[in-house]
Amino acid sequence: MGEFESKVILTVAPTGAWPTKKETPYVPLQPEEIADEVYACYQAGASIAHIHVRDDEGNASMSFEKFEKTVKLIRERCDIVLNLTTSGGIGLMDDVRIKPFVELKPEMASFDCGSMNWQHSTVFENSPKFLEKLGQTMQEHEVKPEIEIFDAGMVYNALFYLKKGILKAPLHFQFVLGAAGGMAATVENLVFLKSLIPEGSTWSAFGIGKGHLPILYATLALGGHLRVGMEDNIFYAKGRLAKSNVVFVERTKRTVAEIGKEIATPDEARRMLGLKIPSNMNQ
């Protein structure tokens, strides 16, 4: 990994499951909008795109047709690494959550490593049975799990699944801080979570809302990778809506440059994470 010591992987999460056009007119919700935004972020330097889709009314969805169209439109324009969510809604059947990555074969997909009380209003369920099925299916299709960590217990779940063979080393963790029902977006929590993961793992982190910038700076200081985007934060500054996901990418690129590092290209990110390189790419 020595050749990549100065590289930072930057994921953009442009849509998510919650922001609406009422909250911000700038959030991309339909396949054409999402693909345009992802391509613009790719041109600005993003390494990975974390994809959610919405239904025609803008609600959270795991519609395979929406994923298929979105992925097709992105792949026609650029080689950004694709990371598809498996959690685009609450109370979905297992196969509905799994089908997009099985059929569309992105390099990565999310592996939310436990259940939690989501937003103090409902249960975000990721049962042991589902997680075992999810991990095994990802291995079968050579899709790397991005292990989403909302709470410390989820790291221990990941270690259990690693020991059981449901997950394979090296693991890649995404620390999600600031979600109501999960760990708060504090530097102390980030340092604690980092201390729990196995040696040789890669990791990334982000803070939701007002925790965005403190966690971004702390993650850089601790040697981690980054995620930005309207899934996590719709404000560029206090009271000021971000007019695109690109502005987050550009700010992050400037910040990374200030500490003498660079954003990894998609191909560099693939190599850093041990991802399967698509057959139509130069290796």
Side-chain angles (χ1 to χ4, degrees), residues 147-187:
I147 303 167
E148 312 286 337
I149 302 296
F150 293 80
D151 211 333
M154 293 185 182
V155 177
Y156 291 104
N157 285 345
L159 299 180
F160 170 77
Y161 290 125
L162 176 63
K163 185 176 180 179
K164 195 171 181 180
I166 301 301
L167 295 172
K168 289 176 63 177
L171 304 180
H172 179 65
F173 292 89
Q174 180 72 266
F175 299 136
V176 183
L177 295 171
M183 292 182 80
T186 67
V187 173

Side-chain angles (χ1 to χ4, degrees), residues 106-124:
E107 293 96 334
M108 304 179 76
S110 61
F111 186 98
D112 297 271
C113 211
S115 300
M116 62 184 290
N117 290 342
W118 182 253
Q119 301 291 328
H120 306 303
S121 62
T122 188
V123 176
F124 175 30

Side-chain angles (χ1 to χ4, degrees), residues 45-75:
S47 320
I48 298 174
H50 177 58
I51 304 298
H52 280 252
V53 297
R54 305 292 186 91
D55 64 18
D56 289 340
E57 286 70 47
N59 301 310
S61 175
M62 284 298 296
S63 164
F64 177 74
E65 290 71 23
K66 295 287 189 181
F67 273 107
E68 184 176 39
K69 186 171 184 180
T70 302
V71 167
K72 179 178 183 292
L73 290 170
I74 294 170
R75 283 177 169 162

Side-chain angles (χ1 to χ4, degrees), residues 189-205:
N189 282 342
L190 178 63
V191 172
F192 174 58
L193 289 174
K194 179 182 180 293
S195 75
L196 301 178
I197 65 177
E199 186 176 349
S201 301
T202 51
W203 66 279
S204 175

